[in-house]
Amino acid sequence: MNEHVRPFAVAAAVVALVGLSACGSGGSGSGATAQAPTTLAGGPELEKFDPCAFFQSAELTSWGLPAQGEEFAPVSFEPGCRWQGQQMSLTFQKNVDETVASYEKGGNWERYDKKTISGRSAAVANVPGGGSTGGCNVLVDAGGGVTIYGVSGRLADSVDACGEAEKIVSQSASRLPE
């Protein structure tokens, strides 16, 4: 039973740490309070962007995921969606106040490998203990903020989470808002 629970705990920890890092990094450094409008850092492109409507049904099913996702927003400033398949789950969120660079400084990462994907600043990231099969995030700058792709295996060692996340990003990042 422990091997069935571990990926969900890791995925929850990944999401929580990504969210907490957004709180701690402060984004603009302007002294703005939590009630300040989110348009200070993020552009209108990302504000209007709907993570739940981003993927095409054929893409999702080709990755072993259902065509319909469910809203997923463990923290209010990172709204998104989650799709749960037999082998893995995918979360896709946005944050209009952060970037790939600010997450690097404000996060608690075991791995934070910066890259360029589809001409955009990106990073492959794991929280401590996440490993390549327990859960992996790929952060991609988009529309003045950042999008966060998260993949975790449904069972221990059921999927190479970072490999799957990078594949999904490489197939879809070119459609993200500029």
Side-chain angles (χ1 to χ4, degrees):
M1 173 114 179
N2 188 22
E3 72 180 36
H4 299 283
V5 174
R6 184 181 71 92
F8 294 111
V10 170
V14 168
V15 170
L17 286 172
V18 168
L20 288 175
S21 70
C23 289
S25 66
S28 66
S30 66
T33 65
Q35 280 78 32
T38 57
T39 55
L40 293 176
E45 299 84 13
L46 194 59
E47 293 230 5
K48 296 182 288 188
F49 178 71
D50 180 3
C52 296
F54 177 67
F55 296 112
Q56 300 164 3
S57 296
E59 286 176 316
L60 291 162
T61 57
S62 76
W63 302 325
L65 300 168
Q68 184 65 38
E70 60 187 41
E71 286 191 24
F72 180 74
V75 290
S76 63
F77 50 86
E78 287 183 348
C81 269
R82 174 177 49 200
W83 296 263
Q84 294 182 320
Q86 294 294 319
Q87 297 296 315
M88 69 177 192
S89 64
L90 168 67
T91 59
F92 185 57
Q93 297 167 266
K94 68 178 183 178
N95 186 316
V96 299
D97 294 323
E98 298 293 333
T99 64
V100 169
S102 67
Y103 269 123
E104 179 182 25
K105 296 174 189 165
N108 177 24
W109 307 107
E110 180 176 281
R111 170 186 180 192
Y112 200 88
D113 298 334
K114 293 195 288 187
K115 307 180 153 215
T116 300
I117 300 174
S118 296
R120 299 166 187 267
S121 181
V124 177
N126 297 89
V127 295
S132 66
T133 58
C136 188
N137 289 313
V138 178
L139 296 83
V140 182
D141 280 343
V146 66
T147 56
I148 306 158
Y149 295 74
V151 170
S152 62
R154 298 275 294 178
L155 303 173
D157 301 325
S158 66
V159 67
D160 172 6
C162 287
E164 287 297 314
E166 287 187 75
K167 176 180 82 173
I168 291 168
V169 170
S170 69
Q171 292 176 9
S172 62
S174 65
R175 299 190 321 258
L176 291 168
E178 290 295 326

